[in-house]
Amino acid sequence: MVSCEEEPKTRPEILAQPEILAQLDSIGLDSKHISIFDRKGQRVSLAAVIRAATEAEVVFIGETHDDPVAHQVELLTLMAMHQAGPCTLSMEMFESDVQAVVDEYLAGLIQEDDFLRDARPWPNYKSDYRYAVEFAKEMEIPVLAANLPQRYLKSFVRQQQEGEDGCMNMSTSNWPASALAFFPKHISAFLPSEGYLAHITQDISSRQTNGCPYMQEIRKQELTSALICWDSAMAESIAQQLSDRPERKVVHICGSFHCEQHLGTVEMLSKRTGSKVLVVVVYPEEDVQEFDSHRHGKAADFVVLSDSALPRSYPSK
């Protein structure tokens, strides 16, 4: 469980400056490396996205993990959400069994070297996610380690390879209680929709992994079961946080395939709570000025197109 003071610290001074807020009104409207559209294809600014985000209880930001524009959008959204009121930063990039380590670092009890060793961050943490975590640390914003520990996901996939039910049968397995605490509960009661299953088999399986350590471990034939476990675990982490701290909105950062079309983790969260959700996805494109209604129209409440020619934080595989 994430714990912190009831009220955030003083808001960052930079956000109180009118010229900074004015820049948010222009980002996405007339920018070389980024354009932002609503689901109808109307061009909007980042300020419009943030205004909509403050009306939601959970904001999903779906990224390609090596996209520098996506990480800037995430940081600016987190800063603005913090300015508006109490919030929590939820991250796919940390596994739930390291929550205590994350909390210790945010509280200033351990040094960053120890945090980096024990929290098992992704290889691109320093270039892509450190800014958001350090902002959260300075402002005393809770950070939720939302993901299912990778060792369990691998085990469920292995069970499926051996002809067992994998994640669908894990509650009756011989796992110790200490491990069961991290498993999504009642997973068989929250079955995915046909659209969710089609999204996995038709859309996600054909993509590059873009540095995601989980996707690199999963063969296509085990992808469906693995993603159900994966999305269910993140949804339960978010739902528990909302229950424990209802005064705090949640900003969840994840791969775009976990939230686009309001499927994946978004769908699994909707089966567990009636929270109002906003979905933003960031797609690298060669032409950031062109909104493709077929590819982008149903992807999210807001679609951010980022310049795919910008340097990546690591080469995609």
Side-chain angles (χ1 to χ4, degrees):
M1 181 184 302
V2 180
S3 61
C4 64
E5 297 178 0
E6 291 295 323
E7 293 296 331
K9 288 178 66 175
T10 302
R11 307 300 189 242
E13 193 173 298
I14 188 172
L15 286 177
Q17 298 177 8
E19 60 269 26
I20 298 299
L21 296 178
Q23 288 181 25
L24 296 183
D25 279 315
S26 65
I27 294 175
L29 289 176
D30 186 23
S31 306
K32 180 179 180 180
H33 300 297
I34 177 175
S35 293
I36 306 175
F37 301 88
D38 65 16
R39 61 170 57 249
K40 296 180 181 179
Q42 297 297 312
R43 196 182 294 267
V44 299
S45 68
L46 183 58
V49 175
I50 289 170
R51 283 193 292 270
T54 59
E55 297 298 319
E57 294 169 275
V58 184
V59 179
F60 284 83
I61 306 180
E63 62 168 39
T64 300
H65 298 311
D66 61 356
D67 184 358
V69 172
H71 302 131
Q72 290 296 313
V73 169
E74 292 158 359
L75 180 59
L76 287 170
T77 301
L78 177 65
M79 294 173 72
M81 292 292 286
H82 173 70
Q83 183 188 40
C87 65
T88 294
L89 172 61
S90 175
M91 303 183 71
E92 176 196 359
M93 298 78 199
F94 290 106
E95 298 168 17
S96 55
D97 62 339
V98 303
Q99 184 66 66
V101 180
V102 174
D103 292 344
E104 289 164 2
Y105 179 65
L106 296 178
L109 300 175
I110 62 175
Q111 295 182 337
E112 186 175 24
D113 288 348
D114 297 316
F115 165 69
L116 294 175
R117 182 188 65 242
D118 295 344
R120 308 192 304 272
W122 286 9
N124 59 323
Y125 170 79
K126 286 188 176 181
S127 61
D128 295 334
Y129 305 112
R130 184 177 183 270
Y131 294 104
V133 171
E134 289 300 316
F135 176 78
K137 183 174 186 285
E138 182 178 352
M139 294 296 115
E140 297 183 3
I141 299 171
V143 175
L144 182 64
N147 211 344
L148 180 69
Q150 190 175 165
R151 63 185 182 275
Y152 299 141
L153 185 68
K154 290 180 181 179
S155 178
F156 305 149
V157 169
R158 189 166 59 250
Q159 289 178 32
Q160 187 178 4
Q161 291 171 347
E162 295 170 355
E164 300 180 25
D165 290 335
C167 67
M168 295 300 185
N169 195 39
M170 61 188 174
S171 62
T172 59
S173 69
N174 294 321
W175 287 93
S178 58
L180 289 173
F182 299 108
F183 295 175
K185 310 297 187 299
H186 313 298
I187 191 168
S188 60
F190 300 113
L191 297 178
S193 66
E194 291 184 5
Y196 181 171
L197 294 175
H199 182 50
I200 295 173
T201 58
Q202 297 174 17
D203 300 333
I204 297 175
S205 62
S206 63
R207 296 188 184 181
Q208 293 179 320
T209 63
N210 289 310
C212 178
Y214 284 67
M215 293 291 283
Q216 294 168 7
E217 298 291 339
I218 302 170
R219 298 189 308 182
K220 288 184 179 181
Q221 56 265 43
E222 289 94 31
L223 190 60
T224 298
S225 180
L227 277 171
I228 293 170
C229 293
W230 193 348
D231 288 327
S232 296
M234 289 196 287
E236 286 204 356
S237 294
I238 296 168
Q240 188 62 53
Q241 177 70 3
L242 290 169
S243 176
D244 293 341
R245 301 301 301 273
E247 78 283 3
R248 287 190 174 273
K249 297 176 184 292
V250 175
V251 178
H252 181 67
I253 298 174
C254 59
S256 59
F257 50 82
H258 290 296
C259 64
E260 59 193 358
Q261 302 178 40
H262 282 246
L263 299 172
T265 308
V266 180
E267 178 178 314
M268 288 302 174
L269 179 64
S270 72
K271 295 177 183 293
R272 291 163 168 81
T273 175
S275 301
K276 184 178 180 181
V277 170
L278 183 86
V279 177
V280 180
V281 295
V282 187
Y283 292 137
E285 298 284 1
E286 292 183 4
D287 184 356
V288 302
Q289 308 303 326
E290 182 179 353
F291 180 88
D292 186 322
S293 59
H294 176 70
R295 289 193 298 121
H296 304 139
K298 297 181 179 180
D301 299 299
F302 294 96
V303 174
V304 180
L305 303 184
S306 67
D307 186 354
S308 62
L310 291 173
R312 307 288 101 178
S313 54
Y314 52 84
S316 297
K317 296 181 180 180

